[in-house]
Amino acid sequence: MGVRKHNMAKQIKEAKKEVAFAKLTGCPTSPRKMRLVADLVRGVQVEKALQILKFSSKEASINLEKLLLSAIANWQAKNEDASIEEANLYVKTITVDSAGMLKRLRPAPQGRAHRIRKRSNHVTIVLGSKNVESK
């Protein structure tokens, strides 16, 4: 590898240390219900987001809490020497996308059938760090 490529690779690696992400695929909750909970923690500090998810009464908050803990663990694996408190981690982006649907039929009156759509979703969470620089 040339010097220029090597230096560029180092810069990219350092930039990637600032962010960590985790994905949850095929979660059996409708995307609409998951987005309600995701909107609560978007842009919030990690410690506060964990508290919000812990005390939320929504079922989707359990899965999001596990996903957030996974993203924090991924950040720690990248930055072994840094501490979470000093890094000021926050939820940079959180996206909820629709996944595959299970389609079922429910019997209806007079020989008809109604379609039941059991929805699922994919969630991606990205953590960023706000390094507070002293002036």
Side-chain angles (χ1 to χ4, degrees):
M1 188 182 298
V3 175
R4 186 180 55 81
K5 267 190 171 179
H6 186 69
N7 290 339
M8 195 63 175
K10 274 187 182 177
Q11 287 177 355
I12 291 171
K13 189 173 181 181
E14 286 300 317
K16 284 186 178 180
K17 275 193 173 185
E18 297 299 318
V19 296
F21 72 97
K23 287 184 180 181
L24 174 65
T25 57
C27 180
T29 309
S30 75
R32 187 175 179 180
K33 291 177 183 177
M34 187 66 86
R35 282 188 195 108
L36 286 174
V37 181
D39 290 341
L40 293 174
V41 296
R42 186 174 285 120
V44 177
Q45 295 287 332
V46 167
E47 293 85 8
K48 188 175 179 186
L50 283 171
Q51 293 301 317
I52 290 170
L53 293 173
K54 185 175 183 181
F55 293 108
S56 176
S57 60
K58 302 273 188 190
E59 186 74 26
S61 65
I62 298 168
N63 290 327
L64 272 185
E65 185 181 5
K66 287 181 185 177
L67 184 65
L68 184 56
L69 289 171
S70 174
I72 293 169
N74 291 343
W75 185 86
Q76 282 179 330
K78 283 185 179 180
N79 305 290
E80 294 162 346
D81 53 341
S83 68
I84 297 174
E85 292 81 19
E86 293 173 7
N88 279 336
L89 285 180
Y90 72 104
V91 180
K92 193 171 184 180
T93 60
I94 180 166
T95 58
V96 180
D97 301 320
S98 175
M101 233 184 294
L102 294 175
K103 294 177 180 168
R104 301 287 181 258
L105 291 177
R106 166 161 283 167
Q110 298 180 357
R112 290 181 299 221
H114 292 160
R115 180 170 286 165
I116 304 270
R117 292 183 300 245
K118 298 190 174 197
R119 300 173 190 269
S120 57
N121 63 56
H122 301 310
V123 184
T124 306
I125 191 166
V126 179
L127 300 182
S129 62
K130 292 181 185 174
N131 291 332
V132 179
E133 298 168 8
S134 21
K135 294 181 180 179

